[in-house]
Amino acid sequence: MSRFVSSTLGVPASGRVPRHVAIIMDGNGRWAKKRFMPRVAGHTRGVETVREMVRACLERGIGYLTLFAFSSENWRRPEEEVTLLMQLFVKALRHEVVKLDRNGVRLKVVGDLSRFDSGLRDMIAAAEEKTAGNDRLILTICANYGGRWDILQAANRLAQAEPEKAGQWQESDLAPYLSMHYAPEPDLFIRTGGEERVSNFLLWQLAYAEFYFTQTLWPEFNDEALDKAIASFQQRERRFGRTSEQLVADPHPPVSASCKADAKHSDLDA
Ligand code: IPE
Ligand code: IPE
Ligand code: MG
């Protein structure tokens, strides 16, 4: 069972600063096109934004940053672009992990990694292992990730582990098998690039996230843009199904017996 309060089984605490920010980094291709550059130039510039956002989250005390880097549907892109995205991923792992580690960042990569070549899989495993002791910021990269894949793989693993309980599974039975079981649900979901859709990102986990869409293209997203998203988040009333009046009277009702009180980033490999 997760140590974090599920938004559907209980009422999670919500602070002024989002504890978990999840971002669809979109608009790299259009950023490049505007400059008469190849799409790949946009992806290269996008990696710089990733670096800046990791720093910005550390500075703001955000505990979890989750970035959608490659969706299960992005294989449909031209082969050349897919190859370059893989190369960029390898390059970033090679160059950034030492810095991440030095800054107390734990790296997690989630998604169906079986489709990646073994060299890349080994690099991911090594990076996760190297940073496993860090807990200032948990940076999750979603690679070959799809929300439907995630729910299905969890259901399949649960079915294997507890076949005798089939037909009686509860949310709390499935939750530990989801790929981001080690993190609280995202508080703030940001999509750059102007599209207002979820594109098969964290379908289960976004149940009660606050959504924020911006026209800003990912390569141009910066501290100021992040602060605007956080300011918007701070104006939301997170009711989790209750009424405004209930919220004022009792902002943090006791957690139901089915959800344990949450502790800070331990138990990541449970
Ligand atoms: C997001 O930027 C990066 C990935 C999907 C890998 P896009 O490449 O989707 O950029 P646009 O949407 O074409 O501008
Ligand atoms: C979503 O962006 C996936 C990532 C950012 C990795 P896309 O650009 O692939 O999404 P669609 O195709 O416009 O929905
Ligand atoms: Mg796009």
Side-chain angles (χ1 to χ4, degrees):
M1 184 185 293
S2 171
R3 295 156 298 105
F4 297 109
V5 178
S6 149
S7 60
T8 43
L9 298 179
V11 177
S14 183
R16 269 188 71 69
V17 176
R19 180 163 60 168
H20 183 173
V21 177
I23 308 181
I24 297 188
M25 313 182 284
D26 199 15
N28 293 348
R30 279 163 285 164
W31 180 88
K33 197 171 174 193
K34 270 200 324 195
R35 285 163 180 74
F36 306 101
M37 288 152 87
R39 292 178 56 82
V40 297
H43 298 314
T44 306
R45 180 62 190 79
V47 176
E48 281 177 45
T49 308
V50 170
R51 211 177 286 130
E52 286 162 26
M53 282 306 110
V54 169
R55 180 209 20 87
C57 287
L58 283 167
E59 286 172 5
R60 285 158 182 74
I62 291 164
Y64 298 81
L65 173 63
T66 300
L67 301 173
F68 204 5
F70 192 88
S71 76
S72 42
E73 291 70 56
N74 285 145
W75 296 104
R76 298 168 183 166
R77 293 194 177 196
E79 199 182 324
E80 189 189 87
E81 182 169 343
V82 170
T83 305
L84 184 111
L85 283 165
M86 294 301 148
Q87 285 168 353
L88 269 179
F89 192 22
V90 168
K91 201 170 145 196
L93 283 170
R94 200 164 281 144
H95 289 101
E96 305 297 329
V97 173
V98 172
K99 276 183 272 174
L100 292 175
D101 188 41
R102 224 184 283 140
N103 284 297
V105 179
R106 179 167 194 176
L107 180 72
K108 298 280 287 178
V109 179
V110 304
D112 181 3
L113 305 186
S114 67
R115 196 148 167 199
F116 295 144
D117 68 52
S118 62
L120 180 51
R121 286 207 304 268
D122 289 348
M123 284 184 80
I124 290 169
E128 288 189 334
E129 201 182 308
K130 186 176 174 58
T131 59
N134 300 330
D135 67 356
R136 254 184 95 197
L137 173 68
I138 314 301
L139 170 65
T140 301
I141 303 294
C142 297
N144 193 20
Y145 180 88
R148 291 187 179 181
W149 163 83
D150 196 358
I151 294 166
L152 263 174
Q153 66 80 28
N156 281 323
R157 290 201 292 149
L158 175 60
Q160 268 175 353
E162 298 179 45
E164 67 290 347
K165 272 181 74 183
Q168 285 150 349
W169 291 327
Q170 307 285 318
E171 181 190 316
S172 54
D173 294 318
L174 190 75
Y177 294 98
L178 290 164
S179 59
M180 291 203 63
H181 62 89
Y182 55 84
E185 292 171 36
D187 301 294
L188 173 59
F189 160 90
I190 299 172
R191 182 171 186 148
T192 63
E195 311 298 351
E196 301 192 351
R197 55 178 171 251
V198 77
S199 298
N200 198 16
F201 194 27
L202 303 160
L203 299 180
W204 176 286
Q205 297 84 346
L206 291 172
Y208 271 97
E210 296 297 331
F211 280 45
Y212 180 85
F213 298 99
T214 172
Q215 293 293 327
T216 305
L217 305 173
W218 179 248
E220 288 167 345
F221 197 75
N222 57 18
D223 286 35
E224 198 189 330
L226 176 65
D227 287 335
K228 263 172 93 172
I230 295 173
S232 169
F233 170 81
Q234 288 170 342
Q235 276 162 16
R236 318 280 178 95
E237 186 178 61
R238 303 191 75 193
R239 292 190 288 275
F240 297 102
R242 296 171 302 156
T243 67
S244 235
E245 290 72 21
Q246 286 175 299
L247 189 74
V248 172
D250 189 6
H252 304 302
V255 171
S256 71
S258 54
C259 334
K260 286 244 177 76
D262 51 8
K264 239 195 135 195
H265 336 303
S266 52
D267 188 30
L268 276 139
D269 292 316

